[in-house]
Amino acid sequence: QVQLVESGGGLVQAGGSLRLSCAASQSIFSKSEMGWYRQAPGKQRALVATITSGGSTNYADSVKGRFTISRDNAKNTVYLQMNSLKPEDTVVYYCSARNFLAWYWGQGTQVTVSS
């Protein structure tokens, strides 16, 4: 069974930092592009950052220079280091694993940035 388990969300003041983690099933991690997406109420889920199995990264313009995605292949875990957080970063963040067979999602973790 494929599982993506996120952790690390919470409440932080503007300008602060959080690190999200997503532990994935070993069966999919090494073969998948891992990513973080976010979704505000009433809006479509939007890309935050992705990282390929080879380590190539891609970021949404709104988070470039503030967020860093990384992966630890030994731990089957992908991270999102979020610095200089802004109130507009307040949404639910979802971990994803995508390969040629399927696109999997985690349950989501709430990030709230207070002004």
Side-chain angles (χ1 to χ4, degrees):
Q1 183 179 357
V2 174
Q3 282 191 317
L4 297 173
V5 181
E6 299 124 331
S7 60
L11 174 65
V12 65
Q13 287 188 332
S17 298
L18 282 175
R19 188 175 81 156
L20 305 182
S21 299
C22 173
S25 302
Q26 185 177 4
S27 62
I28 62 166
F29 185 83
S30 63
K31 301 169 186 163
S32 299
E33 176 185 89
M34 303 299 296
W36 290 95
Y37 291 73
R38 61 188 183 185
Q39 187 171 21
K43 295 190 176 181
Q44 288 189 330
R45 197 165 294 185
L47 168 74
V48 177
T50 59
I51 183 166
T52 67
S53 57
S56 297
T57 58
N58 181 48
Y59 295 93
D61 287 343
S62 59
V63 306
K64 282 181 181 176
R66 299 190 299 125
F67 292 9
T68 302
I69 189 170
S70 61
R71 61 192 292 161
D72 185 332
N73 294 329
K75 296 182 178 180
N76 298 323
T77 300
V78 62
Y79 303 99
L80 185 68
Q81 178 66 43
M82 305 186 293
N83 299 328
S84 302
L85 283 161
K86 304 175 182 179
E88 51 263 43
D89 295 318
T90 296
V91 284
V92 178
Y93 287 73
Y94 294 89
C95 175
S96 79
R98 186 178 184 183
N99 56 40
F100 70 96
L101 289 175
W103 198 346
Y104 305 96
W105 296 96
Q107 80 283 359
T109 185
Q110 176 71 44
V111 170
T112 302
V113 184
S114 63
S115 57

